[in-house]
Amino acid sequence: MEEHRDYKRLFEYMKSFPGIGKRQAERFVYHILTKDSFWVEGYVDEIKKARMQVHECVDCFRIFKNIYGEKFDKCEICRSSLKDRSILAVVEKNIDAESFLQKTSWNGLVFILGGNIPVIEKKNRSRVRVEELLKFIKKLINEEKIIKEIVICNSLNPDGIFTAGVLHQKIRELCAEEKMQIKVTTFGRGFSTGTELEYADRDTLLSALNNRSENF
């Protein structure tokens, strides 16, 4: 990075994007640097505008847009009286939530976990919203009185499988405390090992959802 020391911070910003390595970060930076000031100012303005309109739901942590002067602290799903509040899908990322909602007929609630619990990197486990999920479930139990099912929609990789097992255990412990039964399921047939929800096609996702299982 020595030859790029003047742009080091810009490179670091680009490398912080998911799936972006050093070479791609370099391409992005040089692309920006070759643009005229009008393009750069427009790009920065659009980011600022998006940041002003976008908020994080206080309940499910889903990113949503407030427009026309709205000042909601909950997303449209959590606010809706038409959603089935007895079923909850837990996904890793916001992009997973949008993909899941677009490709399925899911009419329940969603919760953004914020990632998976690393099997090895224990120091990074705090970034995953396990405790927040349990608080959300407890809130739903108190408000709705009945929760039928929680679907854990993790990627089928080692961290995702490990996370699903941890969540299953934590939810079972919460159910025991609350003296109630909640079905906890994961994706079934159709969702193959290594698959990430974000990239799954509609038919695969529907098959996995329709064949979800209680087996962990």
Side-chain angles (χ1 to χ4, degrees):
M1 187 71 72
E2 180 64 24
E3 66 273 25
H4 308 309
R5 60 185 181 277
D6 292 340
Y7 317 126
K8 183 175 181 180
R9 292 201 63 184
L10 193 52
F11 277 111
E12 293 304 317
Y13 276 119
M14 292 300 168
K15 283 171 61 179
S16 69
F17 283 84
I20 300 301
K22 178 183 176 181
R23 294 300 301 171
Q24 289 172 305
E26 289 177 347
R27 291 177 62 192
F28 291 157
V29 169
Y30 284 121
H31 176 75
I32 292 173
L33 294 176
T34 59
K35 291 295 185 179
D36 58 39
S37 59
F38 181 79
W39 186 94
V40 174
E41 288 172 5
Y43 177 60
V44 173
D45 286 344
E46 287 301 316
I47 294 175
K48 290 180 178 179
K49 188 187 300 180
R51 286 290 297 167
M52 289 178 63
Q53 293 177 340
V54 169
H55 301 272
E56 188 175 74
C57 180
V58 296
D59 279 350
C60 72
F61 296 93
R62 178 170 169 263
I63 296 296
F64 69 102
K65 180 184 286 188
N66 265 331
I67 56 177
Y68 308 124
E70 298 172 337
K71 294 188 180 298
F72 295 116
D73 60 357
K74 296 182 182 181
C75 70
E76 66 276 12
I77 293 177
C78 288
R79 298 196 311 265
S80 176
S81 60
L82 300 177
K83 296 295 182 181
D84 185 348
R85 301 179 68 81
S86 69
I87 53 176
L88 172 66
V90 180
V91 301
E92 296 171 25
K93 308 179 295 292
N94 267 280
I95 195 169
D96 292 335
E98 299 314 307
S99 181
F100 181 76
L101 294 169
Q102 289 172 13
K103 297 174 184 177
T104 71
S105 56
W106 185 256
N107 191 44
L109 302 178
V110 296
F111 183 89
I112 313 300
L113 194 61
N116 281 319
I117 303 172
V119 176
I120 299 175
E121 297 180 73
K122 294 184 179 181
K123 65 180 181 180
N124 289 328
R125 294 187 179 187
S126 60
R127 69 189 176 194
V128 183
R129 303 184 183 106
V130 176
E131 292 306 316
E132 290 87 342
L133 172 62
L134 297 176
K135 289 178 182 178
F136 186 48
I137 295 171
K138 195 166 185 176
K139 179 179 179 179
L140 291 175
I141 292 173
N142 292 334
E143 291 179 353
E144 310 302 327
K145 306 305 179 186
I146 180 170
I147 303 296
K148 296 177 183 176
E149 182 179 3
I150 297 173
V151 187
I152 301 173
C153 308
N154 296 73
S155 301
L156 290 186
N157 54 38
D159 287 349
I161 294 169
F162 177 72
T163 302
V166 171
L167 295 182
H168 179 260
Q169 180 61 34
K170 294 289 187 180
I171 294 169
R172 286 300 177 211
E173 291 172 1
L174 177 61
C175 289
E177 292 176 6
E178 298 293 327
K179 296 180 172 58
M180 68 180 304
Q181 293 291 323
I182 300 176
K183 182 190 292 186
V184 183
T185 59
T186 57
F187 282 144
R189 295 192 306 275
F191 212 61
S192 57
T193 301
T195 303
E196 293 188 22
L197 192 156
E198 174 186 350
Y199 302 110
D201 61 73
R202 182 177 182 275
D203 291 340
T204 296
L205 200 51
L206 283 172
S207 176
L209 182 61
N210 291 334
N211 292 290
R212 58 190 183 272
S213 168
E214 292 185 74
N215 295 325
F216 280 82

Short mmCIF file of all heavy atoms in Angstrom, two decimals, residues 110-133:
data_model
loop_
_atom_site.label_atom_id
_atom_site.label_comp_id
_atom_site.label_asym_id
_atom_site.label_seq_id
_atom_site.Cartn_x
_atom_site.Cartn_y
_atom_site.Cartn_z
N VAL A 110 -39.90 -10.50 10.60
CA VAL A 110 -38.50 -10.87 10.35
C VAL A 110 -37.62 -10.24 11.42
O VAL A 110 -38.01 -9.25 12.04
CB VAL A 110 -38.02 -10.42 8.95
CG1 VAL A 110 -38.78 -11.13 7.86
CG2 VAL A 110 -38.13 -8.91 8.80
N PHE A 111 -36.45 -10.81 11.60
CA PHE A 111 -35.47 -10.25 12.53
C PHE A 111 -34.09 -10.36 11.90
O PHE A 111 -33.72 -11.41 11.38
CB PHE A 111 -35.48 -10.98 13.87
CG PHE A 111 -34.54 -10.39 14.90
CD1 PHE A 111 -34.97 -9.39 15.76
CD2 PHE A 111 -33.22 -10.83 14.99
CE1 PHE A 111 -34.11 -8.82 16.68
CE2 PHE A 111 -32.35 -10.28 15.92
CZ PHE A 111 -32.80 -9.27 16.76
N ILE A 112 -33.32 -9.26 11.94
CA ILE A 112 -31.99 -9.24 11.35
C ILE A 112 -30.97 -9.57 12.43
O ILE A 112 -30.73 -8.76 13.34
CB ILE A 112 -31.67 -7.86 10.73
CG1 ILE A 112 -32.83 -7.36 9.86
CG2 ILE A 112 -30.36 -7.95 9.94
CD1 ILE A 112 -33.18 -8.25 8.70
N LEU A 113 -30.34 -10.72 12.31
CA LEU A 113 -29.41 -11.18 13.34
C LEU A 113 -28.08 -10.42 13.31
O LEU A 113 -27.42 -10.28 14.32
CB LEU A 113 -29.16 -12.68 13.16
CG LEU A 113 -28.48 -13.43 14.29
CD1 LEU A 113 -29.31 -13.36 15.58
CD2 LEU A 113 -28.25 -14.88 13.90
N GLY A 114 -27.71 -9.93 12.13
CA GLY A 114 -26.47 -9.17 12.02
C GLY A 114 -25.27 -10.01 11.63
O GLY A 114 -24.13 -9.52 11.64
N GLY A 115 -25.50 -11.27 11.27
CA GLY A 115 -24.40 -12.14 10.87
C GLY A 115 -24.53 -13.50 11.55
O GLY A 115 -25.58 -13.84 12.11
N ASN A 116 -23.46 -14.26 11.50
CA ASN A 116 -23.41 -15.56 12.17
C ASN A 116 -22.41 -15.54 13.31
O ASN A 116 -21.50 -14.70 13.33
CB ASN A 116 -23.02 -16.66 11.17
CG ASN A 116 -24.18 -17.10 10.31
OD1 ASN A 116 -25.30 -17.24 10.79
ND2 ASN A 116 -23.92 -17.31 9.03
N ILE A 117 -22.56 -16.44 14.23
CA ILE A 117 -21.61 -16.58 15.32
C ILE A 117 -20.43 -17.41 14.81
O ILE A 117 -20.61 -18.56 14.41
CB ILE A 117 -22.24 -17.29 16.53
CG1 ILE A 117 -23.48 -16.54 17.01
CG2 ILE A 117 -21.23 -17.44 17.66
CD1 ILE A 117 -24.27 -17.27 18.07
N PRO A 118 -19.23 -16.85 14.76
CA PRO A 118 -18.08 -17.61 14.27
C PRO A 118 -17.79 -18.82 15.16
O PRO A 118 -17.86 -18.73 16.39
CB PRO A 118 -16.93 -16.60 14.33
CG PRO A 118 -17.58 -15.26 14.37
CD PRO A 118 -18.87 -15.47 15.13
N VAL A 119 -17.51 -19.93 14.54
CA VAL A 119 -17.20 -21.13 15.30
C VAL A 119 -15.90 -20.95 16.08
O VAL A 119 -15.78 -21.39 17.22
CB VAL A 119 -17.06 -22.35 14.35
CG1 VAL A 119 -16.65 -23.59 15.13
CG2 VAL A 119 -18.37 -22.59 13.61
N ILE A 120 -14.94 -20.25 15.49
CA ILE A 120 -13.61 -20.12 16.10
C ILE A 120 -13.39 -18.76 16.74
O ILE A 120 -12.89 -18.66 17.86
CB ILE A 120 -12.51 -20.38 15.05
CG1 ILE A 120 -12.64 -21.80 14.50
CG2 ILE A 120 -11.12 -20.16 15.66
CD1 ILE A 120 -11.68 -22.12 13.39
N GLU A 121 -13.77 -17.66 16.05
CA GLU A 121 -13.47 -16.31 16.53
C GLU A 121 -14.43 -15.89 17.64
O GLU A 121 -15.39 -15.19 17.41
CB GLU A 121 -13.57 -15.30 15.38
CG GLU A 121 -12.56 -15.52 14.28
CD GLU A 121 -12.73 -14.48 13.20
OE1 GLU A 121 -12.36 -13.31 13.43
OE2 GLU A 121 -13.24 -14.83 12.13
N LYS A 122 -14.17 -16.29 18.84
CA LYS A 122 -15.05 -15.98 19.96
C LYS A 122 -15.15 -14.49 20.24
O LYS A 122 -16.16 -14.00 20.70
CB LYS A 122 -14.57 -16.72 21.22
CG LYS A 122 -14.69 -18.23 21.11
CD LYS A 122 -14.29 -18.90 22.40
CE LYS A 122 -14.44 -20.42 22.30
NZ LYS A 122 -14.07 -21.09 23.56
N LYS A 123 -14.08 -13.75 19.94
CA LYS A 123 -14.08 -12.32 20.24
C LYS A 123 -15.09 -11.55 19.40
O LYS A 123 -15.45 -10.43 19.75
CB LYS A 123 -12.68 -11.74 20.01
CG LYS A 123 -12.21 -11.79 18.57
CD LYS A 123 -10.83 -11.20 18.42
CE LYS A 123 -10.35 -11.22 16.97
NZ LYS A 123 -9.01 -10.63 16.82
N ASN A 124 -15.54 -12.10 18.27
CA ASN A 124 -16.46 -11.40 17.39
C ASN A 124 -17.92 -11.79 17.60
O ASN A 124 -18.80 -11.34 16.87
CB ASN A 124 -16.09 -11.66 15.92
CG ASN A 124 -14.80 -10.96 15.53
OD1 ASN A 124 -14.49 -9.89 16.04
ND2 ASN A 124 -14.03 -11.57 14.65
N ARG A 125 -18.18 -12.62 18.58
CA ARG A 125 -19.55 -13.11 18.77
C ARG A 125 -20.50 -12.02 19.24
O ARG A 125 -21.70 -12.11 19.05
CB ARG A 125 -19.55 -14.29 19.75
CG ARG A 125 -18.83 -15.50 19.20
CD ARG A 125 -18.98 -16.71 20.11
NE ARG A 125 -18.29 -17.86 19.54
CZ ARG A 125 -18.35 -19.08 20.05
NH1 ARG A 125 -19.07 -19.31 21.13
NH2 ARG A 125 -17.69 -20.08 19.48
N SER A 126 -19.98 -10.98 19.87
CA SER A 126 -20.85 -9.94 20.42
C SER A 126 -21.56 -9.14 19.34
O SER A 126 -22.55 -8.49 19.61
CB SER A 126 -20.02 -8.98 21.30
OG SER A 126 -19.00 -8.36 20.53
N ARG A 127 -21.05 -9.19 18.10
CA ARG A 127 -21.67 -8.41 17.04
C ARG A 127 -22.98 -9.04 16.55
O ARG A 127 -23.76 -8.41 15.85
CB ARG A 127 -20.71 -8.26 15.86
CG ARG A 127 -20.45 -9.55 15.11
CD ARG A 127 -19.33 -9.41 14.11
NE ARG A 127 -19.04 -10.68 13.45
CZ ARG A 127 -17.97 -10.91 12.74
NH1 ARG A 127 -17.07 -9.96 12.60
NH2 ARG A 127 -17.77 -12.08 12.15
N VAL A 128 -23.22 -10.30 16.89
CA VAL A 128 -24.43 -10.99 16.49
C VAL A 128 -25.50 -10.77 17.56
O VAL A 128 -25.24 -10.92 18.75
CB VAL A 128 -24.16 -12.51 16.30
CG1 VAL A 128 -25.40 -13.22 15.81
CG2 VAL A 128 -23.01 -12.71 15.31
N ARG A 129 -26.73 -10.42 17.12
CA ARG A 129 -27.77 -9.96 18.04
C ARG A 129 -28.57 -11.11 18.66
O ARG A 129 -29.79 -11.21 18.51
CB ARG A 129 -28.72 -9.02 17.30
CG ARG A 129 -28.04 -7.82 16.67
CD ARG A 129 -29.07 -6.89 16.05
NE ARG A 129 -28.44 -5.78 15.37
CZ ARG A 129 -28.33 -5.65 14.05
NH1 ARG A 129 -28.86 -6.59 13.25
NH2 ARG A 129 -27.73 -4.61 13.51
N VAL A 130 -27.88 -11.98 19.39
CA VAL A 130 -28.57 -13.10 20.04
C VAL A 130 -29.46 -12.59 21.17
O VAL A 130 -30.64 -12.95 21.26
CB VAL A 130 -27.56 -14.13 20.58
CG1 VAL A 130 -28.29 -15.25 21.33
CG2 VAL A 130 -26.74 -14.70 19.43
N GLU A 131 -28.90 -11.76 22.04
CA GLU A 131 -29.68 -11.25 23.17
C GLU A 131 -30.83 -10.38 22.69
O GLU A 131 -31.93 -10.42 23.26
CB GLU A 131 -28.77 -10.45 24.12
CG GLU A 131 -27.74 -11.29 24.84
CD GLU A 131 -28.36 -12.45 25.61
OE1 GLU A 131 -29.40 -12.22 26.28
OE2 GLU A 131 -27.84 -13.57 25.52
N GLU A 132 -30.60 -9.59 21.65
CA GLU A 132 -31.66 -8.74 21.10
C GLU A 132 -32.79 -9.59 20.52
O GLU A 132 -33.96 -9.25 20.65
CB GLU A 132 -31.10 -7.81 20.02
CG GLU A 132 -30.19 -6.71 20.55
CD GLU A 132 -28.75 -7.17 20.67
OE1 GLU A 132 -28.50 -8.39 20.66
OE2 GLU A 132 -27.86 -6.30 20.77
N LEU A 133 -32.43 -10.71 19.89
CA LEU A 133 -33.44 -11.62 19.37
C LEU A 133 -34.30 -12.19 20.48
O LEU A 133 -35.53 -12.23 20.38
CB LEU A 133 -32.77 -12.76 18.59
CG LEU A 133 -33.70 -13.90 18.15
CD1 LEU A 133 -34.78 -13.40 17.20
CD2 LEU A 133 -32.89 -15.03 17.50
#
